[in-house]
Each structure stands twice: as structure tokens, then as C-alpha cells.
Amino acid sequence: MPVRIKTNGHSKMNVTQDLSFLHLIENASVLVQLVMGLLLLVSLLSWWYIFLKMFAVRQAVKQSEEFEEAFWENPDIGKLYQAVNAKHDKAGSMERIFAAGITEFVKLKKKPGIDSRALMDGTRRAMRAVFQREMDNLESHLSFLATVGSVSPYVGLFGTVWGIMNAFRGLSNVGQATLAHVAPGIAEALVATAMGLFAAIPAVVAYNRYAHDITRLSSRFESFMEEFSNVLQRQP
Amino acid sequence: MNASAYSEPYKLPAGMLALAIHGAFFALIYFGINWRAEPPQGMVVDIWDSLPQAEVVPAKVAPPPVEQADPPKPVEPPKATEPPKSAEPEKPVAPPKADIELAEKKKPKIKPAEIRKPAETKKLAQKKFEAEQAARAEQAAREERAAREEQAAQAERERERARAEQAAAIGKVVDEHKARIIAKIRRNIVMPPDVPDNARAEFEVTLLPGGSVLSAKLVKPSGRDAYDSAVERAIFKAQPLPLPPEVALFNKFREMRLVFKPIE
């Protein structure tokens, strides 16, 4: 007499077999879902800033190169100044430093009885002020990337720990603990860590890259300021 | 040209790119990875209380070789006995002739001899031929028998394997439920203080269908009476013990030896 036995271990337990991505997010507890939502937002923002900075830094480098080339090729500062003024908002950082310097220089020069030392100090101060502002603009949002890079793994980890805690708490009601009881909960929880890392890794890479690029730009601006001061000092 | 007027260039394209990256990543995760964890298909195992087919089949397979191997032997002996019969009747026929012709007593004697000689050669040839035939038939039969035996052995081996698989499936279910039973009892143990970790109590538990405990006999005491009695109380407290739904498997649980240790 044949006796049919179904040796399907899962048939009796209410374990979801569908471990699809959406399912994992849906089944997670509210706090974990909140963490995931936060991380998604942060990730979106950080990628937005990454691209913003990428374009901005690339543009700044290109403009500086073009302006430096034009500056050293063209001995007529007056013409260069007019060209920079004509650009208005499209002028690059180095052009703005140049414009501020020459404006201050011309203004001070008109004052009667000013000595050359005071003239050069005033010009340099004006250029430095613009330089600081430009650097500030270039560095904007970089701190956000740094924060995302360092904090979002912890946020994700928090979500994961919370999710795993819940998964194990549920285990206490079950007499025979099997992996099938815990696995979905842990998988859900781990999604939070994955998202945290997904947000953090590009942010850290981008931060390092842009910080380096901006440092190089700043040293370039500073050397230009020194050189331009020399050029102005030579002016009659 | 002041700070407040500063705005990052390419705000919109950057936003679009960020969205595109997330969209691409999500698509990769959603479509690129097969998330559906296929559960192992539920095995359906036939468990047989007795194996009627397995015992009938070899009986059917085995007899034919015997029947086919035997016939040549019974058929041959008659052939071998016939010629002597035909030769013997000549002997009685010859003596009467000799009695009638008294003078030629010797001749008739020789004649039978002469007659016998060709008969003997014929007999020998026939015997030789028959022996050859018999040998050939025997060899054929032997080969056939060997082939049959091999087939039967193979069938037997397959049957054995199937039986082993069935036994493994049963064993799995039995082990699972034994583990459950032990777990349920363990949960009911009220641990007395100061039980050493290596205490080991062995009980012989007799169950009734339905999972109630008929008797629990201490087979090997742990040496700690408090622990032994705690386990015994727990066995009765844990009633009904979890049994597999298949009634046919109850025989495996009727009498069990369960070992309890404070720490697993």
C-alpha cells in the first residue's frame, strides 16, 4: 500500500518565496522603509551634486586654461579687460579675479598721491576677495558629498540592525528555528545597507576627486594673482 | 558677479543624469538578477509497506532460463538410448539363425560382430555428434542464463537503490519529527539548579497514536535524580508530542529512545 508523503519542508511554513527587490522593500518594517527612503533621497541628491560639480569643475578648468592662454598671448590688458567685461556672467573665475584686480588698480591709480606700495596692496586685496568668493562657490556642496560618504553607510547599517533585530524577535515565537524563518527578514534588512553603500561609495570617490581638482585650481589662481600683480606693478 | 548671483551651471542636465543613473541601477537590479528563489520542487515519494512487485518480478524473470535450459537435456538422452535399442534387437535375431545352421555356428557369431562393428562406429559417430550438439546447446543455455542473471542482478540493484531512496526519505521525516519531539520536551523541562553540563538522561518513551505518552521509562539515569525527574515530568507535560501526519509512519515512533542533555 503506497503512502504518499510530501517532503517539502516549506509547504507548512508561511515563508515568502518571492525575494524580489520590491517585495523585500515592501515587507520591511516601517523604520527600515524610512531609512531606505532617506537613503534613496540622499543618493539622488548626492548624484545630482556629483554631476553638478563635475560640470562646474570641468568648466572652471577649461575657462582658466583659455584665459591664461589669452592673457599671456595678449600684451594689451585694456583689450582683455573689455573682452572679459563683455562676457558678463559667462566669465570664468580667473577672469573675474582679473577684472576685480584691474578695476581696483585703475580706481586707485586715479587717486592723487598714492604710492606704489599702497596701490599694489589694494589691488591684491581686491583680487583676494574675489578669489575667496570663487573658491567658496567651487567648493559648495562638496561638504555634502563628504557627509554622505561618511554617514550613509552608518544609516544603512542602522536600518539593517533594526531589521535583523525584528527578524530575530520574530524567531522567539517559533519553537523550531530554521533559516527560512530568518532569511527573508535579514535579506530585507540588508537592502538598507546596500543602499547606504550605494549612496556612499560614489560620494566618497567624487569628493576626493573634486577636492583634489579644486585644490589644483586654487593654486593656479594664486599663482596667477602673483603674476598679474607683477604685471600691474610694471604698468606706468 | 557677487556670491548670491552664483549658480551652478548645468543644473538640469545634472539632475537628469542623476535620475538616469538611479533608473539604470534599479533596472539592473530588478531585471538583471533573478530574485525568485525557486524552492526545491516538492518531492513525492512512494513509500511501500511491503514490496510486492519487487519480489514477484525476479520470480518471473528467473524461471524461464531454467525451463529453456532444461529441455535440451531431456531431449538428448532418448536419442542416445534409441540406437542401442535398435542394435540390441539384432542380437536376439542372430542367435536363432545360428541354431538352425549348426555347422556355421561361428559365422553367425562373426556376423553379429561384423554387424556390431558398423553399428558401433555409427553409434560412436552419433554419440560424438550428440555430445557436440549437447555441448553447444549447453553453452548457449549457459550464456543465456548468464545474461538473464545479469539482467536480474541489475534489476535487483535498481530496486535496491529505489528502496534506499525511500528509506532515506522516511528517515528524513522521522528524524525531523524526532527533533521536534525532543525540542518540545526540552521546552517543558524546568531545569533544576546545579545540573552538570555533561548530564545525560536516556528515556524509553512509548507513544500512542495521536502523540500522547503511554509510558516513559528511564533507561540510563544521568546521575542527577532532580534532572531525571524534571525530564520525565517534561515528557508528560509536552503531550501531545508532534507526530508526522502520515499514520503509516507511526510505527517508527511507537517506541523511541530519547537522549536529553542540559546543553545541546
Side-chain angles (χ1 to χ4, degrees), chain B residues 211-245:
Chain B
S212 46
V213 179
L214 186 68
S215 73
K217 206 168 74 189
L218 182 61
V219 185
K220 277 186 192 162
S222 64
R224 228 12 112 114
D225 290 350
Y227 183 61
D228 292 347
S229 52
V231 172
E232 196 176 349
R233 273 194 302 274
I235 290 172
F236 285 100
K237 213 167 140 197
Q239 292 184 81
L241 295 175
L243 286 177

PDB file of all heavy atoms in Angstrom, chain B residues 211-245:
ATOM      1  N   GLY B 211      -0.086  11.049  19.695  1.00  0.00           N
ATOM      2  CA  GLY B 211       1.022  11.760  20.316  1.00  0.00           C
ATOM      3  C   GLY B 211       1.004  11.754  21.824  1.00  0.00           C
ATOM      4  O   GLY B 211       1.850  12.385  22.446  1.00  0.00           O
ATOM      5  N   SER B 212       0.050  11.067  22.447  1.00  0.00           N
ATOM      6  CA  SER B 212       0.085  11.043  23.909  1.00  0.00           C
ATOM      7  C   SER B 212       1.066   9.969  24.379  1.00  0.00           C
ATOM      8  O   SER B 212       1.324   8.998  23.683  1.00  0.00           O
ATOM      9  CB  SER B 212      -1.304  10.819  24.485  1.00  0.00           C
ATOM     10  OG  SER B 212      -1.934   9.781  23.781  1.00  0.00           O
ATOM     11  N   VAL B 213       1.583  10.182  25.566  1.00  0.00           N
ATOM     12  CA  VAL B 213       2.647   9.320  26.062  1.00  0.00           C
ATOM     13  C   VAL B 213       2.053   8.205  26.903  1.00  0.00           C
ATOM     14  O   VAL B 213       1.293   8.455  27.845  1.00  0.00           O
ATOM     15  CB  VAL B 213       3.641  10.140  26.913  1.00  0.00           C
ATOM     16  CG1 VAL B 213       4.735   9.238  27.441  1.00  0.00           C
ATOM     17  CG2 VAL B 213       4.234  11.256  26.086  1.00  0.00           C
ATOM     18  N   LEU B 214       2.378   6.986  26.507  1.00  0.00           N
ATOM     19  CA  LEU B 214       1.886   5.847  27.276  1.00  0.00           C
ATOM     20  C   LEU B 214       2.787   5.617  28.473  1.00  0.00           C
ATOM     21  O   LEU B 214       2.327   5.461  29.597  1.00  0.00           O
ATOM     22  CB  LEU B 214       1.846   4.616  26.383  1.00  0.00           C
ATOM     23  CG  LEU B 214       1.218   3.371  26.987  1.00  0.00           C
ATOM     24  CD1 LEU B 214      -0.264   3.596  27.193  1.00  0.00           C
ATOM     25  CD2 LEU B 214       1.445   2.181  26.065  1.00  0.00           C
ATOM     26  N   SER B 215       4.069   5.611  28.213  1.00  0.00           N
ATOM     27  CA  SER B 215       4.990   5.436  29.331  1.00  0.00           C
ATOM     28  C   SER B 215       6.335   6.051  28.982  1.00  0.00           C
ATOM     29  O   SER B 215       6.695   6.163  27.809  1.00  0.00           O
ATOM     30  CB  SER B 215       5.179   3.951  29.637  1.00  0.00           C
ATOM     31  OG  SER B 215       5.967   3.366  28.621  1.00  0.00           O
ATOM     32  N   ALA B 216       7.030   6.480  29.984  1.00  0.00           N
ATOM     33  CA  ALA B 216       8.381   6.998  29.802  1.00  0.00           C
ATOM     34  C   ALA B 216       9.253   6.312  30.837  1.00  0.00           C
ATOM     35  O   ALA B 216       9.048   6.479  32.035  1.00  0.00           O
ATOM     36  CB  ALA B 216       8.404   8.502  29.976  1.00  0.00           C
ATOM     37  N   LYS B 217      10.166   5.479  30.351  1.00  0.00           N
ATOM     38  CA  LYS B 217      10.978   4.688  31.279  1.00  0.00           C
ATOM     39  C   LYS B 217      12.399   5.221  31.238  1.00  0.00           C
ATOM     40  O   LYS B 217      12.958   5.438  30.157  1.00  0.00           O
ATOM     41  CB  LYS B 217      10.953   3.222  30.850  1.00  0.00           C
ATOM     42  CG  LYS B 217      11.199   2.284  32.013  1.00  0.00           C
ATOM     43  CD  LYS B 217      10.886   0.850  31.611  1.00  0.00           C
ATOM     44  CE  LYS B 217      11.956   0.280  30.717  1.00  0.00           C
ATOM     45  NZ  LYS B 217      11.622  -1.004  30.122  1.00  0.00           N
ATOM     46  N   LEU B 218      12.960   5.413  32.402  1.00  0.00           N
ATOM     47  CA  LEU B 218      14.338   5.890  32.465  1.00  0.00           C
ATOM     48  C   LEU B 218      15.258   4.704  32.186  1.00  0.00           C
ATOM     49  O   LEU B 218      15.289   3.732  32.932  1.00  0.00           O
ATOM     50  CB  LEU B 218      14.606   6.473  33.852  1.00  0.00           C
ATOM     51  CG  LEU B 218      15.993   7.056  34.063  1.00  0.00           C
ATOM     52  CD1 LEU B 218      16.240   8.199  33.102  1.00  0.00           C
ATOM     53  CD2 LEU B 218      16.136   7.554  35.494  1.00  0.00           C
ATOM     54  N   VAL B 219      15.975   4.778  31.105  1.00  0.00           N
ATOM     55  CA  VAL B 219      16.856   3.665  30.733  1.00  0.00           C
ATOM     56  C   VAL B 219      18.249   3.881  31.301  1.00  0.00           C
ATOM     57  O   VAL B 219      18.829   2.993  31.911  1.00  0.00           O
ATOM     58  CB  VAL B 219      16.926   3.534  29.196  1.00  0.00           C
ATOM     59  CG1 VAL B 219      17.732   2.316  28.839  1.00  0.00           C
ATOM     60  CG2 VAL B 219      15.535   3.420  28.615  1.00  0.00           C
ATOM     61  N   LYS B 220      18.757   5.087  31.065  1.00  0.00           N
ATOM     62  CA  LYS B 220      20.081   5.381  31.612  1.00  0.00           C
ATOM     63  C   LYS B 220      19.983   6.665  32.411  1.00  0.00           C
ATOM     64  O   LYS B 220      19.822   7.749  31.833  1.00  0.00           O
ATOM     65  CB  LYS B 220      21.093   5.572  30.473  1.00  0.00           C
ATOM     66  CG  LYS B 220      21.629   4.260  29.953  1.00  0.00           C
ATOM     67  CD  LYS B 220      22.728   4.495  28.943  1.00  0.00           C
ATOM     68  CE  LYS B 220      23.064   3.221  28.213  1.00  0.00           C
ATOM     69  NZ  LYS B 220      23.785   3.483  26.964  1.00  0.00           N
ATOM     70  N   PRO B 221      20.039   6.578  33.716  1.00  0.00           N
ATOM     71  CA  PRO B 221      19.936   7.798  34.519  1.00  0.00           C
ATOM     72  C   PRO B 221      21.171   8.679  34.347  1.00  0.00           C
ATOM     73  O   PRO B 221      22.259   8.195  34.025  1.00  0.00           O
ATOM     74  CB  PRO B 221      19.822   7.292  35.955  1.00  0.00           C
ATOM     75  CG  PRO B 221      20.228   5.864  35.917  1.00  0.00           C
ATOM     76  CD  PRO B 221      20.174   5.361  34.519  1.00  0.00           C
ATOM     77  N   SER B 222      20.949   9.960  34.522  1.00  0.00           N
ATOM     78  CA  SER B 222      22.043  10.899  34.322  1.00  0.00           C
ATOM     79  C   SER B 222      22.949  10.964  35.546  1.00  0.00           C
ATOM     80  O   SER B 222      24.039  11.508  35.477  1.00  0.00           O
ATOM     81  CB  SER B 222      21.486  12.293  34.045  1.00  0.00           C
ATOM     82  OG  SER B 222      20.778  12.744  35.180  1.00  0.00           O
ATOM     83  N   GLY B 223      22.439  10.430  36.665  1.00  0.00           N
ATOM     84  CA  GLY B 223      23.204  10.553  37.898  1.00  0.00           C
ATOM     85  C   GLY B 223      22.698  11.690  38.752  1.00  0.00           C
ATOM     86  O   GLY B 223      23.083  11.838  39.907  1.00  0.00           O
ATOM     87  N   ARG B 224      21.817  12.473  38.165  1.00  0.00           N
ATOM     88  CA  ARG B 224      21.234  13.603  38.889  1.00  0.00           C
ATOM     89  C   ARG B 224      19.737  13.336  38.955  1.00  0.00           C
ATOM     90  O   ARG B 224      19.035  13.487  37.945  1.00  0.00           O
ATOM     91  CB  ARG B 224      21.487  14.845  38.054  1.00  0.00           C
ATOM     92  CG  ARG B 224      22.061  16.136  38.690  1.00  0.00           C
ATOM     93  CD  ARG B 224      22.590  16.059  40.024  1.00  0.00           C
ATOM     94  NE  ARG B 224      24.022  16.246  40.041  1.00  0.00           N
ATOM     95  CZ  ARG B 224      24.620  17.275  40.600  1.00  0.00           C
ATOM     96  NH1 ARG B 224      23.919  18.206  41.189  1.00  0.00           N
ATOM     97  NH2 ARG B 224      25.914  17.361  40.596  1.00  0.00           N
ATOM     98  N   ASP B 225      19.256  12.882  40.088  1.00  0.00           N
ATOM     99  CA  ASP B 225      17.853  12.496  40.163  1.00  0.00           C
ATOM    100  C   ASP B 225      16.931  13.659  39.831  1.00  0.00           C
ATOM    101  O   ASP B 225      15.898  13.488  39.198  1.00  0.00           O
ATOM    102  CB  ASP B 225      17.530  11.963  41.559  1.00  0.00           C
ATOM    103  CG  ASP B 225      18.190  10.618  41.788  1.00  0.00           C
ATOM    104  OD1 ASP B 225      18.712  10.048  40.809  1.00  0.00           O
ATOM    105  OD2 ASP B 225      18.184  10.145  42.926  1.00  0.00           O
ATOM    106  N   ALA B 226      17.326  14.846  40.254  1.00  0.00           N
ATOM    107  CA  ALA B 226      16.483  16.021  40.011  1.00  0.00           C
ATOM    108  C   ALA B 226      16.302  16.222  38.513  1.00  0.00           C
ATOM    109  O   ALA B 226      15.197  16.473  38.035  1.00  0.00           O
ATOM    110  CB  ALA B 226      17.122  17.253  40.642  1.00  0.00           C
ATOM    111  N   TYR B 227      17.397  16.064  37.781  1.00  0.00           N
ATOM    112  CA  TYR B 227      17.325  16.265  36.336  1.00  0.00           C
ATOM    113  C   TYR B 227      16.471  15.178  35.687  1.00  0.00           C
ATOM    114  O   TYR B 227      15.612  15.460  34.852  1.00  0.00           O
ATOM    115  CB  TYR B 227      18.737  16.263  35.747  1.00  0.00           C
ATOM    116  CG  TYR B 227      18.754  16.528  34.272  1.00  0.00           C
ATOM    117  CD1 TYR B 227      18.264  17.722  33.763  1.00  0.00           C
ATOM    118  CD2 TYR B 227      19.241  15.579  33.380  1.00  0.00           C
ATOM    119  CE1 TYR B 227      18.260  17.969  32.418  1.00  0.00           C
ATOM    120  CE2 TYR B 227      19.244  15.817  32.028  1.00  0.00           C
ATOM    121  CZ  TYR B 227      18.751  17.017  31.549  1.00  0.00           C
ATOM    122  OH  TYR B 227      18.750  17.257  30.212  1.00  0.00           O
ATOM    123  N   ASP B 228      16.679  13.911  36.126  1.00  0.00           N
ATOM    124  CA  ASP B 228      15.914  12.811  35.549  1.00  0.00           C
ATOM    125  C   ASP B 228      14.424  13.038  35.722  1.00  0.00           C
ATOM    126  O   ASP B 228      13.626  12.891  34.796  1.00  0.00           O
ATOM    127  CB  ASP B 228      16.318  11.493  36.211  1.00  0.00           C
ATOM    128  CG  ASP B 228      17.731  11.104  35.848  1.00  0.00           C
ATOM    129  OD1 ASP B 228      18.269  11.730  34.907  1.00  0.00           O
ATOM    130  OD2 ASP B 228      18.298  10.221  36.494  1.00  0.00           O
ATOM    131  N   SER B 229      14.039  13.415  36.941  1.00  0.00           N
ATOM    132  CA  SER B 229      12.598  13.573  37.163  1.00  0.00           C
ATOM    133  C   SER B 229      12.079  14.811  36.442  1.00  0.00           C
ATOM    134  O   SER B 229      10.928  14.819  35.976  1.00  0.00           O
ATOM    135  CB  SER B 229      12.291  13.644  38.654  1.00  0.00           C
ATOM    136  OG  SER B 229      13.098  14.623  39.250  1.00  0.00           O
ATOM    137  N   ALA B 230      12.914  15.828  36.297  1.00  0.00           N
ATOM    138  CA  ALA B 230      12.474  17.018  35.553  1.00  0.00           C
ATOM    139  C   ALA B 230      12.187  16.637  34.110  1.00  0.00           C
ATOM    140  O   ALA B 230      11.177  17.053  33.525  1.00  0.00           O
ATOM    141  CB  ALA B 230      13.551  18.100  35.615  1.00  0.00           C
ATOM    142  N   VAL B 231      13.060  15.806  33.546  1.00  0.00           N
ATOM    143  CA  VAL B 231      12.863  15.385  32.163  1.00  0.00           C
ATOM    144  C   VAL B 231      11.600  14.543  32.054  1.00  0.00           C
ATOM    145  O   VAL B 231      10.789  14.711  31.138  1.00  0.00           O
ATOM    146  CB  VAL B 231      14.091  14.608  31.654  1.00  0.00           C
ATOM    147  CG1 VAL B 231      13.809  14.008  30.295  1.00  0.00           C
ATOM    148  CG2 VAL B 231      15.296  15.515  31.589  1.00  0.00           C
ATOM    149  N   GLU B 232      11.414  13.659  33.038  1.00  0.00           N
ATOM    150  CA  GLU B 232      10.239  12.789  32.972  1.00  0.00           C
ATOM    151  C   GLU B 232       8.957  13.615  33.040  1.00  0.00           C
ATOM    152  O   GLU B 232       8.011  13.392  32.283  1.00  0.00           O
ATOM    153  CB  GLU B 232      10.290  11.793  34.131  1.00  0.00           C
ATOM    154  CG  GLU B 232       9.344  10.628  33.914  1.00  0.00           C
ATOM    155  CD  GLU B 232       9.465   9.605  35.024  1.00  0.00           C
ATOM    156  OE1 GLU B 232      10.400   9.690  35.836  1.00  0.00           O
ATOM    157  OE2 GLU B 232       8.603   8.718  35.072  1.00  0.00           O
ATOM    158  N   ARG B 233       8.951  14.591  33.938  1.00  0.00           N
ATOM    159  CA  ARG B 233       7.774  15.470  34.024  1.00  0.00           C
ATOM    160  C   ARG B 233       7.562  16.193  32.698  1.00  0.00           C
ATOM    161  O   ARG B 233       6.442  16.319  32.225  1.00  0.00           O
ATOM    162  CB  ARG B 233       7.978  16.496  35.146  1.00  0.00           C
ATOM    163  CG  ARG B 233       7.544  15.990  36.514  1.00  0.00           C
ATOM    164  CD  ARG B 233       7.445  17.139  37.486  1.00  0.00           C
ATOM    165  NE  ARG B 233       8.691  17.882  37.641  1.00  0.00           N
ATOM    166  CZ  ARG B 233       9.656  17.545  38.487  1.00  0.00           C
ATOM    167  NH1 ARG B 233       9.500  16.492  39.268  1.00  0.00           N
ATOM    168  NH2 ARG B 233      10.760  18.233  38.579  1.00  0.00           N
ATOM    169  N   ALA B 234       8.676  16.635  32.107  1.00  0.00           N
ATOM    170  CA  ALA B 234       8.567  17.402  30.860  1.00  0.00           C
ATOM    171  C   ALA B 234       7.994  16.541  29.746  1.00  0.00           C
ATOM    172  O   ALA B 234       7.220  17.017  28.922  1.00  0.00           O
ATOM    173  CB  ALA B 234       9.948  17.934  30.452  1.00  0.00           C
ATOM    174  N   ILE B 235       8.360  15.247  29.744  1.00  0.00           N
ATOM    175  CA  ILE B 235       7.856  14.363  28.687  1.00  0.00           C
ATOM    176  C   ILE B 235       6.334  14.299  28.758  1.00  0.00           C
ATOM    177  O   ILE B 235       5.647  14.382  27.738  1.00  0.00           O
ATOM    178  CB  ILE B 235       8.469  12.956  28.820  1.00  0.00           C
ATOM    179  CG1 ILE B 235       9.950  13.009  28.474  1.00  0.00           C
ATOM    180  CG2 ILE B 235       7.756  11.968  27.921  1.00  0.00           C
ATOM    181  CD1 ILE B 235      10.691  11.731  28.758  1.00  0.00           C
ATOM    182  N   PHE B 236       5.811  14.184  29.983  1.00  0.00           N
ATOM    183  CA  PHE B 236       4.353  14.096  30.091  1.00  0.00           C
ATOM    184  C   PHE B 236       3.692  15.456  29.878  1.00  0.00           C
ATOM    185  O   PHE B 236       2.584  15.538  29.374  1.00  0.00           O
ATOM    186  CB  PHE B 236       3.956  13.506  31.456  1.00  0.00           C
ATOM    187  CG  PHE B 236       4.201  12.024  31.527  1.00  0.00           C
ATOM    188  CD1 PHE B 236       5.332  11.521  32.148  1.00  0.00           C
ATOM    189  CD2 PHE B 236       3.320  11.144  30.913  1.00  0.00           C
ATOM    190  CE1 PHE B 236       5.567  10.157  32.175  1.00  0.00           C
ATOM    191  CE2 PHE B 236       3.550   9.784  30.938  1.00  0.00           C
ATOM    192  CZ  PHE B 236       4.677   9.282  31.575  1.00  0.00           C
ATOM    193  N   LYS B 237       4.409  16.488  30.249  1.00  0.00           N
ATOM    194  CA  LYS B 237       3.856  17.834  30.103  1.00  0.00           C
ATOM    195  C   LYS B 237       3.792  18.236  28.629  1.00  0.00           C
ATOM    196  O   LYS B 237       2.946  19.029  28.243  1.00  0.00           O
ATOM    197  CB  LYS B 237       4.757  18.812  30.855  1.00  0.00           C
ATOM    198  CG  LYS B 237       4.020  19.987  31.460  1.00  0.00           C
ATOM    199  CD  LYS B 237       4.957  20.689  32.430  1.00  0.00           C
ATOM    200  CE  LYS B 237       4.832  22.177  32.365  1.00  0.00           C
ATOM    201  NZ  LYS B 237       5.976  22.832  32.990  1.00  0.00           N
ATOM    202  N   ALA B 238       4.672  17.655  27.838  1.00  0.00           N
ATOM    203  CA  ALA B 238       4.764  18.064  26.440  1.00  0.00           C
ATOM    204  C   ALA B 238       3.718  17.388  25.570  1.00  0.00           C
ATOM    205  O   ALA B 238       3.692  17.582  24.368  1.00  0.00           O
ATOM    206  CB  ALA B 238       6.160  17.751  25.899  1.00  0.00           C
ATOM    207  N   GLN B 239       2.844  16.586  26.170  1.00  0.00           N
ATOM    208  CA  GLN B 239       1.827  15.902  25.383  1.00  0.00           C
ATOM    209  C   GLN B 239       0.875  16.908  24.770  1.00  0.00           C
ATOM    210  O   GLN B 239       0.564  17.913  25.414  1.00  0.00           O
ATOM    211  CB  GLN B 239       1.020  14.958  26.291  1.00  0.00           C
ATOM    212  CG  GLN B 239       1.838  13.793  26.786  1.00  0.00           C
ATOM    213  CD  GLN B 239       0.963  12.856  27.600  1.00  0.00           C
ATOM    214  OE1 GLN B 239       0.253  12.054  27.045  1.00  0.00           O
ATOM    215  NE2 GLN B 239       1.015  13.012  28.909  1.00  0.00           N
ATOM    216  N   PRO B 240       0.309  16.687  23.618  1.00  0.00           N
ATOM    217  CA  PRO B 240       0.647  15.628  22.674  1.00  0.00           C
ATOM    218  C   PRO B 240       1.953  15.948  21.941  1.00  0.00           C
ATOM    219  O   PRO B 240       2.167  17.085  21.548  1.00  0.00           O
ATOM    220  CB  PRO B 240      -0.524  15.658  21.703  1.00  0.00           C
ATOM    221  CG  PRO B 240      -1.044  17.057  21.762  1.00  0.00           C
ATOM    222  CD  PRO B 240      -0.731  17.577  23.132  1.00  0.00           C
ATOM    223  N   LEU B 241       2.766  14.946  21.765  1.00  0.00           N
ATOM    224  CA  LEU B 241       4.021  15.152  21.054  1.00  0.00           C
ATOM    225  C   LEU B 241       3.746  15.259  19.558  1.00  0.00           C
ATOM    226  O   LEU B 241       2.836  14.611  19.054  1.00  0.00           O
ATOM    227  CB  LEU B 241       4.968  13.985  21.343  1.00  0.00           C
ATOM    228  CG  LEU B 241       5.407  13.904  22.797  1.00  0.00           C
ATOM    229  CD1 LEU B 241       6.239  12.676  23.027  1.00  0.00           C
ATOM    230  CD2 LEU B 241       6.194  15.137  23.196  1.00  0.00           C
ATOM    231  N   PRO B 242       4.523  16.071  18.877  1.00  0.00           N
ATOM    232  CA  PRO B 242       4.272  16.271  17.439  1.00  0.00           C
ATOM    233  C   PRO B 242       4.659  15.022  16.641  1.00  0.00           C
ATOM    234  O   PRO B 242       5.805  14.591  16.678  1.00  0.00           O
ATOM    235  CB  PRO B 242       5.172  17.454  17.089  1.00  0.00           C
ATOM    236  CG  PRO B 242       6.220  17.478  18.134  1.00  0.00           C
ATOM    237  CD  PRO B 242       5.635  16.886  19.371  1.00  0.00           C
ATOM    238  N   LEU B 243       3.672  14.467  15.949  1.00  0.00           N
ATOM    239  CA  LEU B 243       3.916  13.286  15.114  1.00  0.00           C
ATOM    240  C   LEU B 243       3.685  13.672  13.671  1.00  0.00           C
ATOM    241  O   LEU B 243       2.933  14.615  13.392  1.00  0.00           O
ATOM    242  CB  LEU B 243       2.950  12.171  15.509  1.00  0.00           C
ATOM    243  CG  LEU B 243       3.253  11.464  16.826  1.00  0.00           C
ATOM    244  CD1 LEU B 243       2.186  10.440  17.115  1.00  0.00           C
ATOM    245  CD2 LEU B 243       4.611  10.807  16.788  1.00  0.00           C
ATOM    246  N   PRO B 244       4.312  12.980  12.751  1.00  0.00           N
ATOM    247  CA  PRO B 244       4.036  13.276  11.334  1.00  0.00           C
ATOM    248  C   PRO B 244       2.595  12.927  11.011  1.00  0.00           C
ATOM    249  O   PRO B 244       2.033  12.000  11.597  1.00  0.00           O
ATOM    250  CB  PRO B 244       5.020  12.371  10.591  1.00  0.00           C
ATOM    251  CG  PRO B 244       5.378  11.312  11.559  1.00  0.00           C
ATOM    252  CD  PRO B 244       5.293  11.920  12.918  1.00  0.00           C
ATOM    253  N   PRO B 245       1.997  13.655  10.075  1.00  0.00           N
ATOM    254  CA  PRO B 245       0.587  13.400   9.753  1.00  0.00           C
ATOM    255  C   PRO B 245       0.371  12.030   9.118  1.00  0.00           C
ATOM    256  O   PRO B 245      -0.764  11.540   9.107  1.00  0.00           O
ATOM    257  CB  PRO B 245       0.237  14.525   8.790  1.00  0.00           C
ATOM    258  CG  PRO B 245       1.533  15.060   8.301  1.00  0.00           C
ATOM    259  CD  PRO B 245       2.544  14.803   9.358  1.00  0.00           C
TER     260      PRO B 245
END
